[in-house]
Amino acid sequence: MSNSVYKVIELVGTSPTSWEEAAKNAVETASKSLKDLRVAEITKLDMKVEDGRVTAYRARVNLSFKYATE
């Protein structure tokens, strides 16, 4: 078995609907340009508030992917 190296990046996904949708948006958007995604870890959840109302949900996500060594 060969050794593997993984890179971890931090993303912030947003959604007007939910934190789950915000996290999903971050991962699915990243998957369009990154390959071999491995693990997504939610590190922080917050909301955008305007005029006393929640207008957006935000999820901070640490996402790992296999680093190409070839």
Side-chain angles (χ1 to χ4, degrees):
M1 184 167 130
S2 65
N3 293 333
S4 297
V5 175
Y6 299 90
K7 180 160 180 71
V8 177
I9 60 171
E10 183 176 74
L11 305 167
V12 177
T14 63
S15 167
T17 309
S18 68
W19 285 304
E20 291 86 358
E21 188 70 25
K24 182 179 172 184
N25 288 340
V27 173
E28 289 181 353
T29 299
S31 73
K32 294 175 184 175
S33 60
L34 299 173
K35 303 299 178 217
D36 287 329
L37 300 180
R38 298 301 170 120
V39 176
E41 176 187 23
I42 308 305
T43 59
K44 186 174 180 180
L45 300 172
D46 62 34
M47 296 178 282
K48 183 177 179 185
V49 179
E50 295 176 347
D51 297 322
R53 298 183 63 110
V54 174
T55 59
Y57 295 85
R58 299 187 306 197
R60 189 173 298 178
V61 180
N62 282 348
L63 181 63
S64 69
F65 58 96
K66 193 170 184 179
Y67 196 77
T69 57
E70 296 147 4

